[in-house]
Amino acid sequence: MRVLIVGAGSAGLTCAWRLAREPSTEVVLIDAGVDPGPDVPSFLLRDMVLPPPFYWDYAEFDRGYFLPRGKLFGGTSAVNATAAVRGHPWCYDAWGSPSWRWERCLPSFRAIEADMQFGAEPYHGHAGPVPITRCELGGFDHALGDAYVRRGLARIADHNAPGHLGFGPFPTNRIGDDRASTLRTLLPELRGRPNVTLRPQTEAVRVVMAHGEARGVLVRTAQGDEQLLEADRVVLSGGTFGSPEMLFASGIGPADGLRTAGLPVHVDAPEVGANLVDHPYVQMGIEVSDPAKPAAPPGKGALLTFELDGPGHLQAHAFAYRTRAVDPSADPCSAAVTCALLTPESRGRLELGTGRARVRLNHLSSDVDARRMAEIVARVADVVADLASEGALRLPADPWWHADDLPAACRREVVTYHHPVGTCRMGSDTASVVDEALRVRGVERLMVADASVMPSLPRGQTNLGAMMIGHRAAEFLLEAPPP
């Protein structure tokens, strides 16, 4: 079986890694970005802000801010902050599919991870390729932790233990100070396998179909030449923005929108690009008083998780990070205390446009979401105020979070937590873009395997979830090879 995977990010590299272990399976992995080679430059392993060529050119259409998606082997796992909270069992049970309940996803989570502290626990893995660890807390995190404990919040050691809520170190996929991205952890093994072909700087143009089947992908090389790469199976792993864009280009999407854009209509699939959901996120800018106890860099500090009142495990994240990690010009004492709503109701969409598709995240468009975000901010702001009164931090002259209309202020301040999902929704209903085995409805031999298939968000980062989906996609392919 020859499998062509479009996109060498978290899901695509994990899918290739699992498939390549079967010698009878030929894997061709293409990506429009570069392959940095076996000796990955240190800036690709450590820097939070990379040069523009390492990102896709996406921006939030209505508000204009940049949406960093990695354009290189390793994808966004090679440019992120390495936070690795995978969510709780009820996150996956909520997808409504017996095939994707927590107990069916857990074996793939365990297969990809090597948890350095809790690998012996039944809900963790100890021998996978991706190390998960927790950094020792220090500096400003201790002051935050003490303030949380005074409010009755628990100290916890493992945010990935099912059901655990409280304050404790971020799980993070790191090797020392380096990102343990799929570029660093999975690609080296693929380089040595005779049944794997790596094609960097190879941009997918469209899926080529005949008689209702995907036969391969038309690609454009770095030299501008177009080639047809044939395959028995095509797996799109371009991410929440890239995979629906590829379906649009291939004539799979809302029929009226495709015709307006001058594209053929092979499958009228109205939900392609719909159901876009992302964690909304706001930041309180502060200054830490003691330069010897600064906030930690992103992904290396502590995380608070807690639930709001109401049904359905409504959940929030709060943490502090050192601003200089993302803005080198910032004062060393500058920090951001951040708040995120992990269970939003608001939905956006990805729309056909000229060049890149239009990304409309639509954060806090629901009044319920705006009120919930305001509740999260108010609770965390009380802690910030206490620490300011104790002299642990300094507030700005007119904090935005002191606004009389806090929901409206949250709507003005909201940005992305960088966890978009849902634009190729998986489900058992015929309106879903892919079925429960990740097969694109209306086209044989074509799958989507990345965070775009998630029907709803997990209560955590999406990187490990995308790897889990890539691993399960490979299992589906190996269970049902082409005739």
Side-chain angles (χ1 to χ4, degrees):
M1 175 173 62
R2 177 181 167 93
V3 180
L4 175 60
I5 301 173
V6 180
S10 297
L13 268 169
T14 306
C15 184
W17 173 78
R18 175 64 187 93
L19 288 172
R21 294 188 159 199
E22 305 297 327
S24 62
T25 301
E26 182 184 356
V27 179
V28 180
L29 183 62
I30 73 169
D31 197 280
V34 299
D35 173 4
D39 297 321
V40 181
S42 61
F43 76 93
L44 285 179
L45 299 174
R46 299 186 180 183
D47 289 3
M48 280 297 301
V49 179
L50 300 178
F54 293 102
Y55 298 101
W56 288 96
D57 185 21
Y58 290 110
E60 211 289 326
F61 184 77
D62 296 304
R63 306 205 34 208
Y65 59 76
F66 179 53
L67 299 172
R69 302 281 97 187
K71 187 179 181 181
L72 72 163
F73 269 59
T76 303
S77 79
V79 304
N80 67 9
T82 73
V85 180
R86 64 190 184 193
H88 298 290
W90 44 81
C91 301
Y92 303 93
D93 294 348
W95 291 357
S97 168
S99 299
W100 290 88
R101 290 186 63 82
W102 169 250
E103 62 267 20
R104 302 292 294 274
C105 297
L106 181 58
S108 289
F109 275 123
R110 296 185 69 224
I112 61 179
E113 78 171 7
D115 193 293
M116 300 292 102
Q117 288 80 33
F118 302 103
E121 298 292 341
Y123 44 82
H124 279 302
H126 68 277
V130 180
I132 305 297
T133 191
R134 293 142 190 90
C135 299
E136 184 176 350
L137 300 185
F140 185 63
D141 281 317
H142 287 314
L144 272 175
D146 291 342
Y148 291 142
V149 170
R150 290 196 295 270
R151 283 164 169 75
L153 296 164
R155 292 189 189 272
I156 61 174
D158 181 16
H159 278 292
N160 283 337
H164 279 208
L165 297 169
F167 178 84
F170 255 117
T172 178
N173 51 296
R174 288 181 182 271
I175 302 171
D177 288 329
D178 296 346
R179 287 187 188 92
S181 62
T182 52
L183 167 67
R184 176 74 184 274
T185 58
L186 299 181
L187 190 55
E189 182 176 332
L190 293 177
R191 292 187 194 283
R193 291 193 173 272
N195 58 334
V196 174
T197 300
L198 303 176
R199 291 282 303 263
Q201 296 180 282
T202 302
E203 185 170 8
V205 177
R206 61 180 172 86
V207 178
V208 175
M209 293 175 283
H211 307 294
E213 293 183 343
R215 298 296 179 86
V217 174
L218 182 69
V219 303
R220 185 177 297 114
T221 69
Q223 293 74 37
D225 302 323
E226 291 192 349
Q227 302 173 359
L228 172 61
L229 301 182
E230 296 181 315
D232 299 308
R233 289 286 191 272
V234 174
V235 180
L236 302 183
S237 293
T240 296
F241 304 151
S243 286
E245 279 192 313
M246 183 53 49
L247 291 178
F248 289 152
S250 305
I252 303 167
D256 290 344
L258 293 173
R259 293 190 187 102
T260 300
L263 294 168
V265 180
H266 292 298
V267 179
D268 181 14
E271 281 213 22
V272 175
N275 191 51
L276 174 59
V277 58
D278 178 43
H279 293 137
Y281 173 97
V282 296
Q283 303 184 88
M284 305 179 196
I286 62 163
E287 287 188 0
V288 176
S289 299
D290 186 348
K293 298 179 180 178
K300 285 189 172 182
L303 169 69
L304 172 68
T305 59
F306 61 94
E307 290 189 347
L308 307 177
D309 292 336
H313 295 289
L314 305 173
Q315 192 174 319
H317 273 186
F319 61 94
Y321 73 88
R322 191 182 311 163
T323 311
R324 181 172 270 195
V326 296
D327 179 6
S329 67
D331 186 278
C333 290
S334 175
V337 177
T338 68
C339 301
L341 173 63
L342 299 204
T343 46
E345 294 184 359
S346 303
R347 294 293 185 273
R349 64 181 304 110
L350 192 87
E351 300 172 339
L352 279 160
T354 56
R356 296 261 72 84
R358 294 190 292 264
V359 181
R360 306 188 106 130
L361 293 175
N362 221 18
H363 285 140
L364 303 185
S365 58
S366 158
D367 289 342
V368 171
D369 283 354
R371 289 195 300 270
R372 287 173 178 164
M373 180 63 91
E375 179 184 347
I376 295 165
V377 169
R379 289 175 65 170
V380 177
D382 282 346
V383 175
V384 169
D386 283 357
L387 293 176
S389 68
E390 295 169 2
L393 61 84
R394 293 182 291 271
L395 298 178
D398 186 19
W400 69 262
W401 55 93
H402 288 178
D404 292 334
D405 187 346
L406 190 51
C410 288
R411 280 179 162 147
R412 289 192 296 270
E413 295 292 328
V414 70
V415 290
T416 175
Y417 199 1
H418 306 297
H419 303 148
V421 308
T423 51
C424 298
R425 180 179 67 87
M426 176 268 295
S428 59
D429 59 296
T430 56
S432 62
V433 178
V434 299
D435 67 14
E436 293 167 284
L438 306 183
R439 298 170 295 201
V440 175
R441 295 187 182 277
V443 183
E444 298 293 325
R445 300 175 183 255
L446 177 63
M447 298 173 67
V448 178
D450 53 37
S452 72
V453 307
M454 295 183 181
S456 59
L457 279 160
R459 291 158 179 80
Q461 285 75 36
T462 50
N463 189 34
L464 292 183
M467 293 184 202
M468 177 273 291
I469 288 168
H471 189 271
R472 296 209 69 202
E475 298 283 354
F476 291 144
L477 283 165
L478 295 170
E479 290 168 4

